[in-house]
Amino acid sequence: MTITLIPGAARLGQLQDIWANESAVMLDPAAHPAIEAAAQLVAQAAQGDDPVYGINTGFGKLASVKIASADTSTLQRNLILSHCCGVGEPLDRATTRLMMVLKLLSLGRGASGVAMQTVTLIEAMLGKGVTPVIPSQGSVGASGDLAPLAHMAATMIGEGEAIFNGTRMSSAQALQMAGLEAISLGAKEGLALINGTQFSTACALVGLWQAWNNAATSVLTCALSTDAIMGSTAPLQDAIHTLRGHKGQIAVARAQRALMEGSEIRESHRDGDTRVQDPYCIRCQPQVTGAAMDLLHFAGQTLEIEANAVTDNPLVLVDDGLIVSGGNFHAEPVGFAADQIALALSEIGAIAQRRVALMVDPTLSHDLPPFLTPDPGLNSGLMIAEVTTAALMSENKHLANPCTTDSTPTSANQEDHVSMAAHAARRLLRMNENLSVILGVEAMCAAQGIEFRAPLQTSPALAKAVAVLRADVPKIVKDRYMAPSIEAAASLVATGALVNAVDLPAFVKGQGT
């Protein structure tokens, strides 16, 4: 199915569907007149005598060098080839396609001056499965994601490499096999393709969607852990959280309370429990993870705006008959959003790791056996699984340090302040992977703890989650080679299989953002 996008009006849910399902995409035909009008204005400027940046001049520090109209196409081609300086592992296919969709949305606003054939080629590449090979390192997130987007543009002119039918090959071959033709770039087209924040924004969006899955899963794993240690649900009372008023906190408390409804374990110690308060990692889950969710919602709003934005330079203001240089390519909003997501991921993992530590420690876990093994001493149980979560928690703390404050001058000091948004967004993949492991281990510990409470049963909702876990991760009776179990549990978290076993509100799952 081909999804029709309206430039300026794409929603995060729509983009997530395109990313997850690798759907074919086209712009609403209503956007075509604006695209063509901007292209006509650029063509007129290219034939004129007045210098217009990037159309009949050089680039960056070379903006004062005038370029003859006969050299227009060569100027744009040279720009693309010279900027193909990306290094590192290639960006994954789904995120690369999302980057292309975002570039399509930006060009579709009719302020970039590209020809329709350029727009239709991106649509055709998405539809026929020609995916440029995009090295993941090399952008500082200002003057656009120059290197990554140059590699995308290179495929469009038949240079560089692309993936087609699962095989990496030259871009020229990929286009030919797909029945497509490389284009010759007109005035400003190369600049319009490589100026922009689409690489950073695509990576940040994927990081956001993965973060929402992990955040929602943490509500489930905390409910499991609370039952495993025979924790109290009194701190989840709605009145407590409405008195404070934060939307995320209220939503997390309500969701966790609903998940634990009907637990025999909880009812068994509702009266006569001598513990007045549980540790913060149990009692303050709504306050911590709720605050993280509020951050994710705010970051999502920023990224939705950016996904619909025109971020190249110069901009073609058709109604005013002007082509004006500006700075929309600076990815500071994306960098800030990615830094916020990173903070949320780090804190969700930090409090979850403390729950793992709580459950394996017999002095804190309310009569659970040491390290959750039936035969401690001869067996170590989940002792080192907890150490692994501590290692990953610490790593995420380091990765959560802000990237946007790490500006460095580039391009002979013409680009003297940069956002580092690409770095900020790319690191979210690793942080989400780490958090999925932490939550997977928490689920393993909590399920083990709940099973030690038999014949008392957990709630029906939590029992469904335990059943999903146990289908891939058997109960630990005696020590075994643990790495596959941790990997399986982390996969259940990362794929959403664990959290999808229960019903959670749309806000908690990040839907409707």
Side-chain angles (χ1 to χ4, degrees), residues 85-154:
C85 295
V87 296
E89 291 295 316
L91 191 64
D92 66 276
R93 172 182 163 85
T95 309
T96 300
R97 287 174 56 85
L98 178 61
M99 181 187 79
M100 296 168 69
V101 169
L102 297 180
K103 177 55 73 174
L104 196 60
L105 281 169
S106 181
L107 299 178
R109 295 288 296 275
S112 298
V114 301
M116 273 305 305
Q117 69 165 355
T118 301
V119 171
T120 55
L121 179 57
I122 297 175
E123 291 174 336
M125 289 167 62
L126 288 165
K128 296 195 174 184
V130 176
T131 307
V133 175
I134 310 291
S136 58
Q137 294 174 276
S139 173
V140 294
S143 206
D145 293 313
L146 294 173
L149 288 168
H151 284 274
M152 181 198 77

Side-chain angles (χ1 to χ4, degrees), residues 266-445:
R266 174 64 185 112
E267 294 305 317
S268 72
H269 64 94
R270 188 174 292 277
D271 297 322
D273 194 338
T274 59
R275 291 176 301 167
V276 177
Q277 294 180 332
D278 291 315
Y280 284 7
C281 64
I282 298 293
R283 184 164 31 119
C284 298
Q285 166 75 347
Q287 288 81 0
V288 174
T289 300
M293 287 185 173
D294 286 336
L295 266 189
L296 294 181
H297 273 289
F298 182 77
Q301 292 168 8
T302 298
L303 294 176
E304 183 172 87
I305 292 170
E306 191 73 6
N308 287 285
V310 183
T311 54
D312 67 277
N313 181 63
L315 296 181
V316 184
L317 309 180
V318 175
D319 290 344
D320 299 319
L322 298 174
I323 300 173
V324 184
S325 289
N328 278 4
F329 48 69
H330 199 294
E332 195 83 353
V334 182
F336 277 144
D339 279 348
Q340 290 171 328
I341 296 167
L343 287 172
L345 290 171
S346 181
E347 283 297 273
I348 292 168
I351 196 168
Q353 198 282 328
R354 296 317 304 156
R355 293 192 295 267
V356 173
L358 174 67
M359 286 184 283
V360 300
D361 186 342
T363 63
L364 299 174
S365 62
H366 199 65
D367 300 327
L368 289 175
F371 306 107
L372 297 166
T373 176
D375 189 12
L378 180 62
N379 294 282
S380 296
L382 287 153
M383 177 190 293
I384 305 304
E386 185 268 329
V387 175
T388 297
T389 65
L392 298 183
M393 175 189 68
S394 180
E395 184 174 306
N396 272 5
K397 287 179 179 179
H398 289 282
L399 289 170
N401 282 306
C403 296
T404 47
T405 56
D406 192 30
S407 175
T408 183
T410 62
S411 194
N413 275 303
Q414 177 73 4
E415 299 159 9
D416 59 352
H417 183 279
V418 300
S419 70
M420 290 299 178
H423 178 65
R426 283 194 308 107
R427 98 314 200 149
L428 299 178
L429 173 64
R430 185 172 169 187
M431 293 186 72
N432 272 299
E433 289 174 346
N434 288 345
L435 180 52
S436 292
V437 174
I438 294 171
L439 296 175
V441 173
E442 183 184 7
M444 290 171 62
C445 292

Side-chain angles (χ1 to χ4, degrees), residues 440 443-444 447 451 464-476 480-498:
M444 290 171 62
E451 288 161 346
K464 291 179 182 178
V466 172
V468 169
L469 179 74
R470 285 290 175 248
D472 288 355
V473 183
K475 181 178 180 178
I476 300 170
R480 63 174 186 258
Y481 188 66
M482 286 293 293
S485 292
I486 294 174
E487 183 178 356
S491 179
L492 289 172
V493 173
T495 61
L498 188 63

Side-chain angles (χ1 to χ4, degrees), residues 1-7 9-10 14 18 23-30 105 123:
M1 183 183 75
T2 299
I3 296 177
T4 300
L5 290 173
I6 300 174
Q14 189 178 32
I18 292 169
S23 306
V25 170
M26 64 176 289
L27 290 181
D28 188 328
L105 281 169
E123 291 174 336

